[in-house]
Amino acid sequence: MLALQIVESVPRYLLAKAVGRWQPAAYWNGLGLLQLRDVPEPRLPTPEWVRITTRYSGICGSDVGLITLHASPTTSPLVSFPFTLGHEVTGQISELGSAVDGFRVGQRVTVNPLLACAARGFREPCSECARGLPNRCLRFREGTIAPGIMIGFCRDTGGGWSASFVAHRAQLIPIPDQLTDEEAVLAEPFGVALHAVLQNRPPDTATVLVLGAGIIGLLTVAAMRAIGSQARILVTAKYPFQARAAERLGADLVLLGRTGPALYREIGRLTGARVLRARFGRWLVQGGVDQVFDCVGSSRSVHDALTLTRAGGRVVLVGLASDPRNVDWTPIWLREVEIRGSMAYAEEELDGIRASSIAHGVRLMAERRVELGWLVTHRFALAEYREALATVTGKGANGVIKAVFAFPGGNRV
């Protein structure tokens, strides 16, 4: 079968790094680490695994970061090459291991892609998995499969950017009949947003700033509203189509195209904060928002998040902030601003039910407490991957909110 894989090659890395700055297509035209290859279907690692025929697989910002060589090398020990990309998936079970019960061939499922203790064959969980935090698993390099944090980053599991992949029975989440594949493929990124919000739920009286109106920023707005938060939500957006989406999902006010000092002054006006100009191009905001969800993860957004958070407030890093530079960390000690990370998803309590945040996302969509399928704006066949990546990396011109690879059998909104 054909699969889009990341290969390990120092010469390819150096060549794409040198050329890609001026010609981004170098990252996906065969010169870089992304390769379209004919590979065998992955085997079932143990009888507790199933094979899934892919229907939809999302194109995630973390995937694009890997392809364009912007991802931090810090996590490189937690992958195994070559790996097939694609961790946002919906599909049908096509083969059951002999130790799998409660599921059937032909059943539609999405997956919690984390390859934590249960998926790796450990009967006794590590200390983090035992606490319901498989996103912090201590064994991502051990067990019955090769290293990898998730499906889509492990050579033994395959991924959604191919016709089929394998998953452990503990990872399977049934898709209710009332959900389309387009809705279900958003369960994973919605789970990311739900985890960030449930771990850092703002009071209803709070003013919250969401930096970035890409898919994770938009889903963070949706998550707050889906769980009933009445906080005032402000969102920064780069493009008008993002602003319209944020408003539709429940944002109170969208700050379109505001960056730097213009953003600081607007937040000062909205919150009553004093915006003071410091020396050498720096700014000090006295006051600000109660909480920031940084859904961008750039040096600029981390700097803005710290600047705009009130004394004693909280910054939550939901975007993949790998190596921010030129960030002024003064607000952390000057105003005792708290900064927290948010990684993937975990076991959460919501509505008296304890489940993974991805499973909560599926339930919230099935109960129609949130409508998300319309966020899938672009669909591509796997063979159109060059066009897909050019479209996604040029989202401003193309109006991309969420793009997916669509395989035969997927149903649409």
Side-chain angles (χ1 to χ4, degrees):
M1 66 177 182
L2 291 178
L4 280 170
Q5 294 192 323
I6 296 290
V7 300
E8 188 174 30
S9 169
V10 173
R12 286 182 176 277
Y13 178 91
L14 295 175
L15 178 60
K17 196 76 171 176
V19 178
R21 184 179 304 178
W22 293 278
Q23 299 179 32
Y27 295 122
W28 53 77
N29 68 2
L31 295 179
L33 301 185
L34 182 71
Q35 302 288 301
L36 181 65
R37 311 171 85 195
D38 192 2
V39 301
E41 288 188 306
R43 64 176 183 84
L44 302 186
T46 75
E48 298 179 344
W49 288 66
V50 307
R51 187 178 314 283
I52 298 172
T53 299
T54 312
R55 291 164 72 105
Y56 276 3
S57 186
I59 301 174
C60 177
S62 61
D63 300 322
V64 175
L66 276 169
I67 293 166
T68 57
L69 308 181
H70 289 142
S72 169
T74 301
T75 58
S76 58
L78 303 180
V79 301
S80 48
F81 297 92
F83 57 87
T84 301
L85 290 164
H87 58 278
E88 303 174 355
V89 290
T90 178
Q92 282 181 292
I93 296 174
S94 55
E95 180 184 352
L96 289 171
S98 60
V100 178
D101 54 18
F103 293 91
R104 67 181 189 280
V105 170
Q107 184 175 5
R108 284 195 312 149
V109 293
T110 185
V111 301
N112 179 336
L114 286 171
L115 295 170
C117 284
R120 293 180 170 278
F122 292 100
R123 301 307 175 197
E124 293 295 325
C126 70
S127 58
E128 297 297 335
C129 287
R131 295 168 57 204
L133 298 169
N135 54 331
R136 304 182 191 175
C137 180
L138 303 177
R139 293 170 171 157
F140 285 133
R141 289 181 53 84
E142 305 173 32
T144 55
I145 54 175
I149 294 178
M150 301 181 182
I151 290 171
F153 301 96
C154 172
R155 69 168 175 254
D156 290 342
T157 63
W161 291 16
S162 66
S164 75
F165 61 96
V166 297
H168 189 269
R169 64 184 181 185
Q171 297 176 283
L172 304 179
I173 300 170
I175 299 173
D177 290 341
Q178 59 266 45
L179 289 190
T180 65
D181 290 324
E182 285 182 327
E183 292 172 304
V185 78
L186 290 168
E188 191 276 346
F190 190 36
V192 170
L194 275 170
H195 174 62
V197 168
L198 290 171
Q199 292 291 308
N200 304 278
R201 180 168 180 165
D204 288 344
T205 57
T207 294
V208 177
L209 174 63
V210 177
L211 288 176
I215 189 63
I216 294 298
L218 292 173
L219 291 175
T220 298
V221 176
M224 282 188 274
R225 294 307 188 216
I227 67 170
S229 173
Q230 299 298 310
R232 180 169 67 149
I233 301 176
L234 313 177
V235 181
T236 64
K238 195 171 182 180
Y239 306 109
F241 70 88
Q242 294 176 327
R244 293 190 293 271
E247 290 169 347
R248 179 172 173 179
L249 290 168
D252 292 290
L253 183 64
V254 180
L255 309 175
L256 180 60
R258 304 291 176 85
T259 60
L263 176 61
Y264 303 162
R265 294 189 186 98
E266 185 65 8
I267 294 296
R269 185 184 69 81
L270 293 168
T271 64
R274 296 180 64 196
V275 180
L276 307 174
R277 184 162 190 169
R279 295 186 178 184
F280 307 113
R282 299 295 177 93
W283 295 80
L284 174 66
V285 177
Q286 291 186 316
V289 299
D290 300 294
Q291 189 164 309
V292 175
F293 289 96
D294 178 2
C295 299
V296 179
S298 68
S299 298
R300 175 80 261 174
S301 66
V302 173
H303 180 86
D304 289 345
L306 293 173
T307 300
L308 293 169
T309 304
R310 64 162 174 81
R314 177 180 293 179
V315 172
V316 183
L317 298 180
V318 190
L320 304 181
S322 56
D323 188 18
R325 301 174 184 273
N326 300 316
V327 173
D328 185 353
W329 302 100
T330 301
I332 294 177
W333 61 262
L334 182 64
R335 300 203 306 278
E336 297 188 338
V337 169
E338 179 184 6
I339 186 165
R340 297 189 66 184
S342 183
M343 161 62 181
Y345 10 80
E347 299 294 315
E348 319 275 6
E349 187 82 21
L350 180 62
D351 301 329
I353 301 169
R354 187 161 185 81
S356 77
S357 44
I358 298 179
H360 282 308
V362 170
R363 178 174 61 84
L364 291 172
M365 286 189 281
E367 293 175 356
R368 296 305 172 195
R369 289 163 64 176
V370 63
E371 299 280 351
L372 299 178
W374 58 274
L375 292 170
V376 177
T377 55
H378 292 68
R379 303 155 197 83
F380 298 92
L382 190 68
E384 299 171 323
Y385 72 94
R386 291 186 177 92
E387 179 187 353
L389 292 168
T391 300
V392 169
T393 53
K395 66 172 61 177
N398 299 310
V400 178
I401 297 179
K402 187 65 182 180
V404 300
F405 288 116
F407 293 80
N411 61 49
R412 295 172 59 171
V413 174

